[in-house]
Amino acid sequence: MSFSDSDSSSAYGGDYRNFRQISRERLLHEMLRSAKTGNSKSTWKVLIMDRLTVKIMSYSCKMADITQEGVSLVEDIYRRRQPLPSMDAIYFIQPTKENVIMFLSDMAGKSPLYKKAFVFFSSPISRELVSHIKKDSSVLTRIGALREMNLEYFAIDSQGFITDNERALEELFGDDEDSHKGDACLNVMASRIATVFASLREFPFVRFRAAKSLDVTTMTTSRDLIPTKLAARIWDSLTQYKQKIENFPQTETCELLILDRSIDQIAPVIHEWTYDAMCHDLLNMEGNKYVHEVPGKAGGPPEKKEVLLEEHDPVWLELRHAHIAFASERLHEKMTNFVSKNKAAKIQHGSRDGGELSTRDLQQMVQALPQYSEQIDKLSLHVEIAGKINSIIRELGLRELGQLEQDLVFGDAGMKDVIKFLTTKEDTTRENKLRLLMILAAVFPEKLEGERGLNIMKLARLPQDDMNAVNNMRLLAGASDTKKRSTGAFSLKFDIHKKKRAARKDRTGEEETTWQLSRFYPMIEELIDKLNKGELSKDEYPCLNDPSPSFHGTSQSTPMHHVPAPHSMRSKRTPTWARPRNSDDGYSSDSILRHASSDFKKMGQRIFVFIVGGATRSELRVCHKLTSKLQREVILGSSSLDDPPQFITKLKLLTANELSLDDLQI
């Protein structure tokens, strides 16, 4: 029996692999493939997991991948299982007392459930539990491996992960502060974040948002200290990994920036106009699952079909971060190209009256060509989705609302404009009015205090429940931010022009905004840019560990990467996510899948950004965009990934602790 951390040689050498690829390879190769004994005749194995580890596995691997590694059956450790004494079992479980007891009961005594057990823990196991396992001599001889995988995160994206702390916002930022719950939440979060670095064999230079304190009269709250506390706990775990994991780097190899939701209260509620964000915001999707109707068999009634919008779909991969207008244009172009290159379609086309075909015509035409069913299904699916999104945008009047939202953020609109909108657009949905007022509260917090706040809520005809969400924005801002804003509205300078209040700097001249409503950018884009250039304030974002001299070469302010960015940071360019592609085959999406990893071959050191309290799809998009721009893989982590309705529900809970997440729906 060996007790060690799994060897992570797959993370070294060869082609550069992104975050999710490494996570996948560790699970499939280090864990499943390594669970073999030289003289074992068992070719098929049973995989046993708990509720958390089954999610970890499902985010990184597909069932076909698992089967290919010799797993014929996947079981839940807490369910009664059929004895299979001729088969070996792989346990991928959390190192909890309950799991260890279940494992021992499976393998102890004269009739164990399985022939041999290969045990892999998702995070470090305590000495007490190891001693507990070693006490049972009948079990010891049946253990083929006992290892710490140190992989306890959900790889939700090729460059994103969550720690599955869905209640982090409530437990850490709530009005009724419970220090025990908050500490427990931070401990789990820190432990899981640390496994990311153990898994990738990275040792980070740790920076965090410092507690904001204006002067001696401003009291630092526990909310203000969240990034500081989390940084310290992650550092404790990393120090242990440094000592006990073989081949763990001893000097800094990457950067970690720890933030919380207070750095950007607007990103979670503003309408983000990219295809991915619009799908999750407007289509009532469950995770990445989209349900649509397909024609019934043999002329029967339509049937419901579930599809997953994920990275294995090349059309989704190409268009997910594109502006919805570009995505719609591109899909129509793909359909047209597909038809024009297909002989059967050309014949059909020729038999029609002249003139340009509509998207619906094209869709019906390609559906008649069964030999191209996969391409047809994918294209038809995305044409349908984009069409549905555009219909909702028109029905809800989102373009006008979106313009007002962005004008508020960039200081081109104020209270009067919001009042005018609420007066003239009474049919705006309750949720959209609430989101508008939350943006107003983030930019002009003083405008919603006291009676003025009540009056605008009455004008918007929103209930007290929604007022709570607006008021709770202050819990994310913190007292020092509110003070800064209320006192900072007056300037000692005598200026001819009144200084406008803006929550974002307008970047006209730095980046072309090709599409309407694409001005908005999340704050992390600015912070990551500054971090990359070595310009991030050391007072506002201090370093927990002094970087080793070899990390920067000369000084801490040197940009921390080995590969220079491909162009000037301030060059005028079209945003990558809105730039037209040159593919003309209507389906291959510019060979995105084939060349996905080749883009990473000349990457500099990784940047990790972790946001406590939930991240947004716009922030994940920015990490992909900056990876190309900076030539450094930017990985986003958070306690959860929230779409606007989820975030608003959680925000209401900050002052409604007696309710549960299921009770509050918009």
Side-chain angles (χ1 to χ4, degrees), residues 232-250:
R233 291 173 203 206
I234 293 170
W235 179 251
D236 286 344
S237 294
L238 290 173
T239 305
Q240 290 176 36
Y241 284 144
K242 207 174 170 185
Q243 293 165 0
K244 68 188 259 195
I245 295 181
E246 195 180 346
N247 297 325
F248 194 81
Q250 299 299 301

Side-chain angles (χ1 to χ4, degrees), residues 479-656:
S480 55
D481 261 15
T482 309
K483 185 173 179 181
K484 201 184 293 181
R485 278 170 178 158
S486 57
T487 55
F490 302 97
S491 173
L492 294 174
K493 270 175 146 184
F494 290 94
D495 220 336
I496 298 169
H497 303 288
K498 186 181 177 183
K499 191 177 180 183
K500 68 179 184 180
R501 176 89 64 88
R504 293 288 185 283
K505 295 175 192 168
D506 209 330
R507 299 183 301 182
T508 309
E510 288 189 34
E511 291 195 23
E512 289 179 17
T513 47
T514 310
W515 301 100
Q516 189 187 15
L517 304 173
S518 61
R519 285 167 78 194
F520 178 80
Y521 59 94
M523 281 307 298
I524 68 161
E525 183 168 353
E526 199 172 281
L527 295 175
I528 296 167
D529 236 344
K530 286 181 177 178
L531 179 70
N532 176 68
K533 291 190 284 186
E535 294 175 1
L536 196 62
S537 165
K538 294 172 197 172
D539 294 327
E540 292 177 29
Y541 299 92
C543 161
L544 193 68
N545 52 317
D546 286 328
S548 306
S550 60
F551 184 73
H552 304 297
T554 52
S555 73
Q556 192 173 315
S557 61
T558 310
M560 300 154 205
H561 54 95
H562 299 316
V563 179
H567 47 65
S568 163
M569 297 287 282
R570 292 187 175 271
S571 61
K572 190 175 183 182
R573 66 199 183 284
T574 306
T576 339
W577 53 274
R579 192 179 296 147
R581 309 303 209 273
N582 297 318
S583 170
D584 61 356
D585 62 4
Y587 179 67
S588 70
S589 298
D590 313 308
S591 307
I592 283 177
L593 291 176
R594 192 165 67 248
H595 298 298
S597 60
S598 65
D599 295 340
F600 289 93
K601 283 185 180 175
K602 293 181 180 179
M603 284 290 173
Q605 291 170 327
R606 288 185 174 103
I607 294 173
F608 294 83
V609 180
F610 191 86
I611 304 173
V612 182
T616 69
R617 292 181 194 278
S618 60
E619 287 162 339
L620 190 53
R621 168 179 63 76
V622 156
C623 291
H624 282 273
K625 172 187 168 183
L626 290 177
T627 294
S628 299
K629 175 183 169 183
L630 307 178
Q631 289 294 286
R632 300 177 69 182
E633 187 183 3
V634 182
I635 296 165
L636 178 68
S638 186
S639 44
S640 57
L641 183 69
D642 297 328
D643 295 308
Q646 294 166 304
F647 178 76
I648 293 168
T649 298
K650 289 178 179 182
L651 200 62
K652 288 177 181 179
L653 282 168
L654 298 191
T655 48

Side-chain angles (χ1 to χ4, degrees), residues 292-297 300-307 377 384:
H292 68 129
E293 286 191 348
V294 293
K297 292 171 185 173
E303 297 173 0
K304 287 192 173 181
K305 184 181 177 183
E306 290 181 356
V307 287
D377 287 349
E384 177 192 311

